[in-house]
Amino acid sequence: MFQDLRDSNSSQFQVSEFVLMGFPGIHSWQHWLSLPLALLYLLAPGANILILTTIYQEASLHQPMYNFLGILAVVDMGLATTIMPKILAILWFSAKAISLPECFAQMYAIHFFVAMESGIFVCMAIDRYVAICRPLRYPSIVTDSFVIKAIVFIAIRNSVCLISVPVLAAQRNYCSQNQIEHCLCSNVGVTSLSCDDRKINSINQIFLAWLIMGSDLGLIIVSYALILWSVLKLNSKEAASKALNTCTSHLILILFFYTVIVVISITHSGGMKLPLIPVLLNVLHNVIPPALNPMVYALKNKELRQGLCKLLRLNIKSN
């Protein structure tokens, strides 16, 4: 599809490929960053596969909350795999060239997986709200059918809404510059090379950010505000502490996820004199969560931690 869109502008199209330069300002020694990034990339699928295996094998974890966690693990692996092979190829082999259709496809995949992660955080917040504020109705509301419908809705929402990002980027005229000061095909980095007006791209990016991320964050804030209000009304401090403890891991990941997005948005819109900062934050935001999420849940969730210990002991015995 992106190839067809590119060909529609072939009369003005002079750039046949983009060149991803890597981290701006540190090209001479950026290859040293490959070691921590490679370790994070190895950790992400390993930890998430371990989480998925634990949830699958432990019957006590066959609950909606852990189903959402399992889906989050799949999304995290998809996000890391979308960007990390190309980044490591740039740092190790200087394989900086990327075709336009491949670049636009990566742009779409990144937006899709990030939006999926945001949507799953909303589902987790709603799950905790019902469990804490409507515990008697929890089994009838948050069912396996609810999980499937919620994930399908989020996937369709993201697929339909976000297709406009690469489509509009592919319709721009790239007539001279083709070097992107980035490790991946970000919408801002790619469209900044266009020779024509990219105002529509910027407007679309802002609109989608508020439509998807803004609405998701709003629902999360409302859910946790209602949870806090309900917990504060509990007479027992022990019950209140137990209720809040079930939300701790969610809040840690949500705060990291949205805080970095806000910081990236501010640094991009502010036109920083150090372009390395937004690029580095952008890469880390797509690499750290896939490795961080399973560790946070494993450390903060008692049932999952017990399941992991049981699984690891079984593996050790079998070896």
Side-chain angles (χ1 to χ4, degrees), residues 64-73 117-131 138 146 151 154 220 223-224 227 246-247 249-250 253-254 293 297:
M65 181 177 73
Y66 296 105
N67 291 338
F68 285 128
L69 181 56
I71 297 167
L72 179 63
E117 192 165 357
S118 176
I120 293 170
F121 283 143
V122 173
C123 294
M124 289 179 164
I126 293 173
D127 173 85
R128 291 299 85 201
Y129 163 74
V130 178
Y138 181 83
F146 172 84
I151 295 302
I154 294 169
I220 290 171
S223 296
Y224 279 107
I227 289 172
T246 63
C247 303
S249 54
H250 303 158
L253 300 179
I254 287 168
N293 291 350
Y297 275 100

Side-chain angles (χ1 to χ4, degrees), residues 241-316:
S241 176
K242 184 178 180 180
L244 288 176
N245 191 52
T246 63
C247 303
T248 306
S249 54
H250 303 158
L251 287 172
I252 292 172
L253 300 179
I254 287 168
L255 285 173
F256 177 82
F257 180 81
Y258 286 104
T259 299
V260 176
I261 286 181
V262 171
V263 172
I264 292 173
S265 301
I266 293 173
T267 54
H268 271 302
S269 60
M272 289 191 63
K273 294 181 179 179
L274 293 175
L276 173 64
I277 302 301
V279 171
L280 186 60
L281 284 174
N282 201 341
V283 172
L284 293 178
H285 180 256
N286 292 322
V287 175
I288 289 180
L292 178 69
N293 291 350
M295 290 191 292
V296 170
Y297 275 100
L299 290 173
K300 300 298 295 184
N301 188 284
K302 181 180 178 181
E303 291 80 7
L304 185 59
R305 187 168 62 249
Q306 290 175 342
L308 281 169
C309 291
K310 182 178 178 181
L311 178 68
L312 292 175
R313 282 201 298 269
L314 286 173
N315 286 340
I316 293 171

